[in-house]
Amino acid sequence: MARKSLKPEATSFEVLDCVQKKCPSCGQAMWNEYNNPRHIRTLKGVVELQLKIRRCRNKSCLRYKKAYRPEQEGSLALPQSEFGLDVIAYIGALRYQEHRSVPQIHTHLELKGICISQRTVTHLIDRYDELLSLWLKDHKRLKAIVANQGRVILAIDGMQPEIGHEVLWVIRDCLSGEIILAKTLLSSRNEDLVALLLEVTNTLNVPIDGVVSDGQQSIRKAVRVALPNIAHGLCHYHYLKEAIKPIYEADRHAKKELKKKVRGLRDIERSVTNEDKDLATIIEDYCSAVRSSITNDGHPPLEASGLKLQENLTLIEQSLERMEKKVLYHHL
């Protein structure tokens, strides 16, 4: 699809040169053959890079005329990518830590001033998954981490996006927070989970002191088979989730009533289109703040979304009151 808007202008400029100025193959000096411009959109703005590309001029060298790019370029963005690694990491955090949908992530990025389409958000989520997969397969790094603590306590949980889809099973270490294994399975049979736990046991070189999970029967049976005589406790989060249900329902109802009182944001935004530009910008910012507060669902059961909405709306109201006082003061 053709681009419908101009590329955003750069907010900063950097020149990157190669740290390695001698050919890694023959050892002779590599010449700066040409400069390659590149724009990268980051969370801090659009960076315009001038990349000094070097090449070996030794005709007998295996790397003759092969481009050698600045090493620092790889720490900023993936090859052929228009968006920085910080944007990909931010999208991954919104997706998997805050469980945001693609449209919600798109809105978050636009509020940060990042020009991006929803389809690109989907592509960057895929890039995040690929990077995470590579990182999880680094067994040497994982073994070094758990070796320092001398033991692990495993947490196992399965996530199914939709009914009928594959289940993503994640096993992590509670002490270090590291994910030890992540694998999708077509079913949740205890035989399949036994295989996962045995794979983890073979990967680690330290003893397993315990296992934490929810009360799913297949997990209980799998732990008894794969890790006999290992303590198996139920997750406190699930205890809290059950205990908090009455409060959660009351909070959800309160949030629903609060949302009724802040309707009509679009009408307000339309009404200021012909007003002074600065005034319109201020009003639109307040509307965006209210809209963002409404869509923030919190992290139940540990964080009540209704109370969070009440807190945010109170802060916005106080800000409006301060704004009103300033206007009255200037008119006096």
Side-chain angles (χ1 to χ4, degrees):
M1 183 182 294
R3 185 187 296 273
K4 294 184 178 180
S5 59
L6 295 174
K7 287 186 177 181
E9 295 183 359
T11 56
S12 61
F13 177 79
E14 289 186 41
V15 178
L16 300 185
D17 197 357
C18 301
V19 176
Q20 176 75 21
K21 292 183 172 61
K22 291 186 177 181
C23 178
S25 181
C26 68
Q28 293 191 18
M30 292 188 294
W31 290 65
N32 182 194
E33 290 280 332
Y34 59 92
N35 295 333
N36 190 2
R38 183 179 181 184
H39 287 72
I40 298 176
R41 304 186 201 183
T42 69
L43 294 176
K44 296 180 179 179
V46 181
V47 182
E48 181 182 352
L49 299 178
Q50 182 178 327
L51 306 172
K52 293 186 175 295
I53 311 300
R54 294 180 176 270
R55 285 178 173 176
C56 180
R57 290 190 173 184
N58 181 7
K59 293 184 178 180
S60 61
C61 179
L62 295 174
R63 293 189 56 84
Y64 173 64
K65 286 292 184 180
K66 289 186 178 180
Y68 192 91
R69 304 175 71 87
E71 296 85 351
Q72 190 180 349
E73 181 189 12
S75 66
L76 299 175
L78 295 173
Q80 311 299 325
S81 177
E82 194 175 353
F83 294 88
L85 290 172
D86 57 344
V87 176
I88 296 177
Y90 182 67
I91 289 174
L94 290 175
R95 181 66 169 173
Y96 296 112
Q97 292 181 14
E98 300 188 17
H99 308 291
R100 300 293 182 183
S101 64
V102 170
Q104 288 174 331
I105 295 173
H106 179 253
T107 302
H108 272 274
L109 293 173
E110 285 195 325
L111 291 174
K112 283 185 169 290
I114 300 175
C115 183
I116 190 172
S117 67
Q118 289 193 21
R119 186 172 65 174
T120 303
V121 171
T122 304
H123 292 333
L124 294 182
I125 290 174
D126 293 338
R127 300 293 81 74
Y128 178 86
D129 292 339
E130 291 167 359
L131 291 172
L132 182 62
S133 176
L134 290 172
W135 182 70
L136 291 175
K137 290 180 180 178
D138 188 358
H139 294 307
K140 289 184 179 179
R141 179 193 62 83
L142 184 61
K143 286 182 178 180
I145 292 173
V146 298
N148 290 332
Q149 60 192 35
R151 63 192 181 110
V152 294
I153 297 176
L154 302 181
I156 179 171
D157 198 7
M159 291 165 280
Q160 190 174 28
E162 295 180 13
I163 297 175
H165 286 224
E166 293 180 334
V167 181
L168 173 63
W169 286 96
V170 178
I171 301 178
R172 66 180 181 88
D173 173 33
C174 295
L175 299 179
S176 64
E178 294 289 332
I179 296 176
I180 298 174
L181 181 67
K183 185 175 288 188
T184 56
L185 298 176
L186 292 173
S187 66
S188 301
R189 299 181 307 165
N190 58 302
E191 293 86 354
D192 297 327
L193 299 181
V194 167
L196 285 183
L197 291 170
L198 291 177
E199 184 177 346
V200 170
T201 305
N202 296 330
T203 301
L204 300 175
N205 52 0
V206 294
I208 299 173
D209 274 7
V211 179
V212 179
S213 73
D214 59 19
Q216 190 172 331
Q217 288 297 324
S218 59
I219 299 178
R220 293 185 178 188
K221 293 178 181 178
V223 172
R224 282 199 296 267
V225 173
L227 302 171
N229 304 321
I230 299 295
H232 182 194
L234 298 183
C235 176
H236 290 180
Y237 175 85
H238 291 87
Y239 278 126
L240 285 173
K241 193 173 181 180
E242 292 298 320
I244 206 73
K245 274 186 177 179
I247 301 175
Y248 171 73
E249 291 299 327
D251 178 76
R252 190 166 66 90
H253 177 72
K255 182 178 181 180
K256 183 178 178 181
E257 295 300 316
L258 276 173
K259 289 170 71 174
K260 291 179 181 179
K261 298 181 179 181
V262 289
R263 289 176 177 172
L265 292 177
R266 292 190 181 277
D267 294 335
I268 295 173
E269 289 172 329
R270 291 193 191 100
S271 66
V272 298
T273 52
N274 298 324
E275 298 289 338
D276 177 72
K277 184 178 179 181
D278 293 336
L279 176 62
T281 302
I282 293 172
I283 293 175
E284 288 172 358
D285 288 344
Y286 274 109
C287 289
S288 296
V290 173
R291 188 176 287 110
S292 177
S293 299
I294 292 173
T295 56
N296 185 0
D297 295 328
H299 298 279
L302 304 178
E303 185 177 316
S305 59
L307 292 176
K308 188 69 176 177
L309 176 59
Q310 171 68 27
E311 179 185 346
N312 290 337
L313 292 178
T314 301
L315 292 173
I316 294 171
E317 183 181 16
Q318 291 172 353
S319 177
L320 285 169
E321 290 174 353
R322 290 194 298 270
M323 179 72 70
E324 185 180 13
K325 289 179 181 179
K326 288 181 180 179
V327 172
L328 291 174
Y329 176 78
H330 285 296
H331 281 289
L332 291 176

